[in-house]
Each structure stands twice: as C-alpha cells, then as structure tokens.
Amino acid sequence: MALIVHKYGGTSMGSPERIRNVAKRVAKWARAGHQMVVVPSAMSGETNRLLGLAKELAPSRAMQSYHRELDMLAATGEQASSALLAIALQAEGMEAVSYAGWQVPIRTDSSYTKARIESIDDQRVRSDLAAGKVVIVTGFQGIDGEGNITTLGRGGSDTSAVAVAAAMKADECLIYTDVDGVYTTDPRVVPEARRLQTVSFEEMLEMASLGSKVLQIRSVEFAGKYKVPMRVLSSFTPWDIDINEEAKSGTLITFEEDEKMEQAVVSGIAFNRDEAKISVLGVPDKPGIAYKILGAVADANIEVDVIIQNVSKDGKTDFSFTVNRNDYTRTVELLKEKVLPELGAQEVAGDTKICKVSIVGIGMRSHVGVASKMFRTLSEEGINIQMISTSEIKTSVVIDEKYMELAVRTLHKAFELDQPAA
Ligand code: ADP
Ligand code: ASP
Ligand code: MG
C-alpha cells in the first residue's frame, strides 16, 4: 500500500462526464489498496470566467488593488470542482471528503494572487485516510496568517499537489493533464514534438520558468527541494487501463543527471508570450543607471526578466528589459513619472508584441556552439533577435511575436528534437 497524490487539471475536470471519469480512475487506485489524496483544478475556463467578471466591474489596470477579492473570487472555482469530485466518488461507492485550503489548513504568505505555501498541516487528511476515505484537497488556494483566502498564481494547483505530496511524504505525485507527458516542446505548436520518457529536474525547472506551462514552476521547485517522485501523465486514457501500465506511463521527473549528460545537447524548447519589452532611450551613460531604473521597478514589486544595455554613443545609451505584460502599463507609467526626469533620459519606448524563445538542455554545459547554432538557424529564417540571455543550461532570445511559431518549429528541427532519442 502506498500513499499517492493525484492532481487533475482543468481540462481533465472540464465536465460532469470527465469528473466521473476522474472519480472512476481514483476509485481504481484506492481499490488497489492505495491511500489516495486528490488535488483538482477548477473546471477548464472557470478561473478565466471568474476573473473576467471582475474585469467587467473595474478597469484592468487597477486590478492590482483588488487582489484580496480576486483571490476570494478565483478560489471558488477549485472549491466547486473539489465538491463535485467528492460527490462523484461517493456516487461510485467510495468514502470521500473534500477540504478547502483553509480547512486543511494550507498556510501561505499574504501575497495575494501569487502566494507561497509556508506549511501544510496533514493531521486531518491523515486521520481521514486512516479511516479509509479518499481525501480531496482543493488546489490553487490557501489561507494566510490573518485568515484571508489566498491563491498560488495561475497553474497553481500543480504546486498544491506537489506541496501536499512533500508534506505527507507521499510515495508518488501523479500530475494528470490533457497531454500524455512532457514533450520536447508544446505539442500544440509543433505536432512533431516527442514525449520525453524522463526529464531531469533541472531541465524541467528551466522549461517551466521559461514559459512551458505544463507544470507551474513552483511545483517543480517543491519537487526538487523535497525530492518528490513525480510524473506527468494523461487523464484521457481509458480510466480502467491496467494500473501498473498507467503507473509507468507519461514522463518521470528524475533527480539524477548522469545518465542524461551523454544524451541530447538540447532536450526542449520553451516559449513565452507573456512578456513585454521596455526601453529607456537616451540615458546619460554613467554609473548607477541600471540601479536607478531597475531599483525603481523592483520597489514597485515588478519582476524583470531579460536585460540589455547598449553600447553608448555620444555619452548616451539605451537600456532595455522585459516585464510581464500585465505589468507593462504600470512600468511605463512609473518610468515616465519617476525615473525619466531624474535620469535625464529622453524617452520610454515599449513593445508588447514580443516573445521569448528558449532552448534548454543540461548537455549544453559540455558543448560549445549551441547558442551560435540557435542564432544561425534564426538568421536563416530572417528572424531578428532583439535580446539574448544565457545561463549554463539555456539560451533565450527575444523576437517579434509574429515569428514565434516559425522560430520554435525551425529550432525544434535544427536540434533534431523530432528524431528519436539516441
Ligand atoms: P492542466 O489544466 O492539466 O494543468 P495546462 O494547460 O496547465 O494543463 O498544461 C498542459 C498544457 O501544457 C498542454 O495542453 C500543452 O499545450 C502545454 N505545454 C506547453 N509546453 C509543453 C511541453 N513541453 N510538454 C507538454 N505540454 C506542454
Ligand atoms: N485554476 C487555476 C488556473 O486556471 C489553477 C490551476 O488550474 O492550476 O490557473
Ligand atoms: Mg496547469
């Protein structure tokens, strides 16, 4: 008997029929003798619908000031699907109980809409499991020190599941989704993408942080920190497939790198359309510019990603960086009001129609020329690179959004990701 955590994403919970299928699958695992904790997402589209209603009532650039209420609102999506799953399980003849985040409780900090889990009390869940119940822990939500409901950021149910698995020292955390594993890139953009049997934790962390939304980055961080055995697999296989076959399907996140070091140099391509570029033009080139610009941005709690400073001409330089598109207007306003006058810079320019495309692979550490192959491939397609950022195991470029699919497809081919692994 093992303690297993299942997580089901929005599409997997998308209709009563699908919830019934989830219930049948969970019941199969429970009847095979496992203790089951299940973490569901809201039904697909529900979180967007709820947040859309809020946008009808308040200007979207002021959304920041309604964060507490947005969390109250968005958390209802998961609460509904958790109750529905408990009902479906009971209708299947299983004993099941659902808990909202505050009932567990899952304690978080107070950063509404992107709260971090601080601790999980597993007493209640454990005693239900001991009594033979399936326990449903509502995903995406928690409670802060003052009793406010918080949410964990978009895609946050992944993190709820892995955090519950870590807190309970579960034997495995299975993330059921609408694709049958982690692919070399998003299979919806590149149909030739290949499913990876295993992916190293470091590569998965990099892919998630670079925009591959198959797993929320914090879930991968939790898995790494607590060494949670974790697998991504499909919820669309027939619910009654052989449980041993199911347990081996999908993609396993591994914590050993050695075996992979000899394999593909690039193991995946990620892309992100959520960023916008901001340039401060004509800045006098003297010490402290980066601090003045980025310090003001950081003080406003805005995260910055790729940064470049151009060579100076006639004592002036241009300074560019990317932020999340949701923070674009706020950042431009802040720079115009506070930073431009102080710096004596000429202008703030921006571009929201950009995207970031990244190649990822731990094999890049030991191979030279990987980045230059990426640049050559893009130049052969006539795609202009606006910004570059590199680390040991990734190279990212910022390009015009309209070339995103072309870039991802061409790079996927150039790095032979469509070919079976050696
Ligand atoms: P869920 O609702 O189950 O959490 P998500 O939509 O959050 O599902 O994540 C699954 C989606 O992630 C897939 O449908 C796929 O389009 C996308 N995706 C992006 N990159 C990858 C990748 N490298 N491998 C697999 N899926 C990916
Ligand atoms: N329902 C939330 C979202 O859409 C959380 C999740 O699905 O993981 O972002
Ligand atoms: Mg998700």
PDB file of all heavy atoms in Angstrom, residues 7 9-10 41 154-158 175-177 213-216, ligand 3:
ATOM      1  N   LYS A   7      -3.157  14.726  -9.164  1.00  0.00           N
ATOM      2  CA  LYS A   7      -3.622  16.083  -9.467  1.00  0.00           C
ATOM      3  C   LYS A   7      -4.300  16.059 -10.821  1.00  0.00           C
ATOM      4  O   LYS A   7      -3.750  15.496 -11.780  1.00  0.00           O
ATOM      5  CB  LYS A   7      -2.448  17.067  -9.454  1.00  0.00           C
ATOM      6  CG  LYS A   7      -2.854  18.509  -9.726  1.00  0.00           C
ATOM      7  CD  LYS A   7      -2.607  18.918 -11.149  1.00  0.00           C
ATOM      8  CE  LYS A   7      -3.240  20.261 -11.491  1.00  0.00           C
ATOM      9  NZ  LYS A   7      -2.914  20.683 -12.864  1.00  0.00           N
ATOM     10  N   GLY A   9      -5.947  18.477 -13.818  1.00  0.00           N
ATOM     11  CA  GLY A   9      -6.029  19.845 -14.325  1.00  0.00           C
ATOM     12  C   GLY A   9      -7.430  20.183 -14.832  1.00  0.00           C
ATOM     13  O   GLY A   9      -8.343  19.347 -14.828  1.00  0.00           O
ATOM     14  N   GLY A  10      -7.592  21.426 -15.272  1.00  0.00           N
ATOM     15  CA  GLY A  10      -8.887  21.952 -15.648  1.00  0.00           C
ATOM     16  C   GLY A  10      -9.591  21.171 -16.750  1.00  0.00           C
ATOM     17  O   GLY A  10     -10.790  20.893 -16.657  1.00  0.00           O
ATOM     18  N   SER A  41      -8.079  20.905 -10.089  1.00  0.00           N
ATOM     19  CA  SER A  41      -8.161  22.311 -10.520  1.00  0.00           C
ATOM     20  C   SER A  41      -9.623  22.666 -10.727  1.00  0.00           C
ATOM     21  O   SER A  41     -10.490  21.791 -10.762  1.00  0.00           O
ATOM     22  CB  SER A  41      -7.485  22.502 -11.877  1.00  0.00           C
ATOM     23  OG  SER A  41      -6.120  22.357 -11.785  1.00  0.00           O
ATOM     24  N   ARG A 154      -1.422  31.518 -11.372  1.00  0.00           N
ATOM     25  CA  ARG A 154      -2.032  30.695 -12.409  1.00  0.00           C
ATOM     26  C   ARG A 154      -1.282  29.379 -12.546  1.00  0.00           C
ATOM     27  O   ARG A 154      -0.056  29.334 -12.492  1.00  0.00           O
ATOM     28  CB  ARG A 154      -2.069  31.437 -13.749  1.00  0.00           C
ATOM     29  CG  ARG A 154      -2.899  32.715 -13.755  1.00  0.00           C
ATOM     30  CD  ARG A 154      -4.337  32.539 -13.230  1.00  0.00           C
ATOM     31  NE  ARG A 154      -5.136  31.549 -13.912  1.00  0.00           N
ATOM     32  CZ  ARG A 154      -5.945  31.814 -14.928  1.00  0.00           C
ATOM     33  NH1 ARG A 154      -6.088  33.044 -15.372  1.00  0.00           N
ATOM     34  NH2 ARG A 154      -6.646  30.834 -15.482  1.00  0.00           N
ATOM     35  N   GLY A 155      -2.036  28.325 -12.696  1.00  0.00           N
ATOM     36  CA  GLY A 155      -1.431  26.993 -12.779  1.00  0.00           C
ATOM     37  C   GLY A 155      -1.037  26.435 -11.420  1.00  0.00           C
ATOM     38  O   GLY A 155      -0.366  25.409 -11.317  1.00  0.00           O
ATOM     39  N   GLY A 156      -1.494  27.105 -10.347  1.00  0.00           N
ATOM     40  CA  GLY A 156      -1.005  26.795  -9.001  1.00  0.00           C
ATOM     41  C   GLY A 156      -1.463  25.481  -8.394  1.00  0.00           C
ATOM     42  O   GLY A 156      -0.922  25.056  -7.367  1.00  0.00           O
ATOM     43  N   SER A 157      -2.440  24.812  -9.004  1.00  0.00           N
ATOM     44  CA  SER A 157      -2.846  23.516  -8.439  1.00  0.00           C
ATOM     45  C   SER A 157      -1.726  22.495  -8.519  1.00  0.00           C
ATOM     46  O   SER A 157      -1.658  21.577  -7.695  1.00  0.00           O
ATOM     47  CB  SER A 157      -4.061  22.955  -9.176  1.00  0.00           C
ATOM     48  OG  SER A 157      -5.134  23.820  -9.053  1.00  0.00           O
ATOM     49  N   ASP A 158      -0.858  22.639  -9.511  1.00  0.00           N
ATOM     50  CA  ASP A 158       0.310  21.738  -9.577  1.00  0.00           C
ATOM     51  C   ASP A 158       1.096  21.857  -8.278  1.00  0.00           C
ATOM     52  O   ASP A 158       1.525  20.860  -7.690  1.00  0.00           O
ATOM     53  CB  ASP A 158       1.263  22.136 -10.725  1.00  0.00           C
ATOM     54  CG  ASP A 158       0.632  21.987 -12.096  1.00  0.00           C
ATOM     55  OD1 ASP A 158      -0.260  21.131 -12.240  1.00  0.00           O
ATOM     56  OD2 ASP A 158       1.041  22.724 -13.024  1.00  0.00           O
ATOM     57  N   ILE A 175       0.704  13.888 -11.843  1.00  0.00           N
ATOM     58  CA  ILE A 175       0.034  15.082 -12.380  1.00  0.00           C
ATOM     59  C   ILE A 175      -0.690  14.668 -13.667  1.00  0.00           C
ATOM     60  O   ILE A 175      -0.051  14.470 -14.713  1.00  0.00           O
ATOM     61  CB  ILE A 175       1.066  16.188 -12.701  1.00  0.00           C
ATOM     62  CG1 ILE A 175       1.967  16.491 -11.495  1.00  0.00           C
ATOM     63  CG2 ILE A 175       0.389  17.441 -13.253  1.00  0.00           C
ATOM     64  CD1 ILE A 175       1.362  17.372 -10.433  1.00  0.00           C
ATOM     65  N   TYR A 176      -1.987  14.509 -13.576  1.00  0.00           N
ATOM     66  CA  TYR A 176      -2.790  14.119 -14.754  1.00  0.00           C
ATOM     67  C   TYR A 176      -3.201  15.372 -15.517  1.00  0.00           C
ATOM     68  O   TYR A 176      -3.743  16.319 -14.932  1.00  0.00           O
ATOM     69  CB  TYR A 176      -4.043  13.363 -14.325  1.00  0.00           C
ATOM     70  CG  TYR A 176      -3.772  11.957 -13.830  1.00  0.00           C
ATOM     71  CD1 TYR A 176      -3.457  11.726 -12.500  1.00  0.00           C
ATOM     72  CD2 TYR A 176      -3.823  10.870 -14.697  1.00  0.00           C
ATOM     73  CE1 TYR A 176      -3.209  10.443 -12.044  1.00  0.00           C
ATOM     74  CE2 TYR A 176      -3.572   9.584 -14.251  1.00  0.00           C
ATOM     75  CZ  TYR A 176      -3.264   9.379 -12.923  1.00  0.00           C
ATOM     76  OH  TYR A 176      -3.018   8.107 -12.478  1.00  0.00           O
ATOM     77  N   THR A 177      -2.955  15.333 -16.847  1.00  0.00           N
ATOM     78  CA  THR A 177      -3.295  16.521 -17.629  1.00  0.00           C
ATOM     79  C   THR A 177      -3.853  16.121 -18.990  1.00  0.00           C
ATOM     80  O   THR A 177      -4.202  14.951 -19.203  1.00  0.00           O
ATOM     81  CB  THR A 177      -2.055  17.451 -17.719  1.00  0.00           C
ATOM     82  OG1 THR A 177      -2.419  18.645 -18.409  1.00  0.00           O
ATOM     83  CG2 THR A 177      -0.871  16.789 -18.397  1.00  0.00           C
ATOM     84  N   LYS A 213       4.064  25.781 -19.905  1.00  0.00           N
ATOM     85  CA  LYS A 213       3.126  25.818 -18.779  1.00  0.00           C
ATOM     86  C   LYS A 213       2.621  24.439 -18.362  1.00  0.00           C
ATOM     87  O   LYS A 213       1.673  24.333 -17.592  1.00  0.00           O
ATOM     88  CB  LYS A 213       1.970  26.765 -19.090  1.00  0.00           C
ATOM     89  CG  LYS A 213       1.068  26.272 -20.179  1.00  0.00           C
ATOM     90  CD  LYS A 213      -0.200  27.087 -20.219  1.00  0.00           C
ATOM     91  CE  LYS A 213      -1.159  26.428 -21.185  1.00  0.00           C
ATOM     92  NZ  LYS A 213      -2.536  26.710 -20.941  1.00  0.00           N
ATOM     93  N   VAL A 214       3.265  23.392 -18.857  1.00  0.00           N
ATOM     94  CA  VAL A 214       2.783  22.061 -18.476  1.00  0.00           C
ATOM     95  C   VAL A 214       2.876  21.852 -16.966  1.00  0.00           C
ATOM     96  O   VAL A 214       2.025  21.185 -16.375  1.00  0.00           O
ATOM     97  CB  VAL A 214       3.476  20.954 -19.316  1.00  0.00           C
ATOM     98  CG1 VAL A 214       4.965  20.903 -19.128  1.00  0.00           C
ATOM     99  CG2 VAL A 214       2.863  19.599 -19.044  1.00  0.00           C
ATOM    100  N   LEU A 215       3.856  22.460 -16.311  1.00  0.00           N
ATOM    101  CA  LEU A 215       3.932  22.436 -14.841  1.00  0.00           C
ATOM    102  C   LEU A 215       4.219  23.849 -14.342  1.00  0.00           C
ATOM    103  O   LEU A 215       5.061  24.545 -14.919  1.00  0.00           O
ATOM    104  CB  LEU A 215       5.073  21.528 -14.367  1.00  0.00           C
ATOM    105  CG  LEU A 215       4.881  20.029 -14.504  1.00  0.00           C
ATOM    106  CD1 LEU A 215       6.160  19.301 -14.090  1.00  0.00           C
ATOM    107  CD2 LEU A 215       3.703  19.536 -13.667  1.00  0.00           C
ATOM    108  N   GLN A 216       3.546  24.252 -13.270  1.00  0.00           N
ATOM    109  CA  GLN A 216       3.877  25.560 -12.696  1.00  0.00           C
ATOM    110  C   GLN A 216       5.265  25.474 -12.054  1.00  0.00           C
ATOM    111  O   GLN A 216       5.599  24.491 -11.393  1.00  0.00           O
ATOM    112  CB  GLN A 216       2.840  25.966 -11.635  1.00  0.00           C
ATOM    113  CG  GLN A 216       2.910  27.465 -11.337  1.00  0.00           C
ATOM    114  CD  GLN A 216       2.357  27.849  -9.976  1.00  0.00           C
ATOM    115  OE1 GLN A 216       2.482  27.117  -9.014  1.00  0.00           O
ATOM    116  NE2 GLN A 216       1.732  29.022  -9.909  1.00  0.00           N
TER     117      GLN A 216
HETATM  118 MG    MG B   3      -1.754  23.655 -15.381  1.00  0.00          MG
END
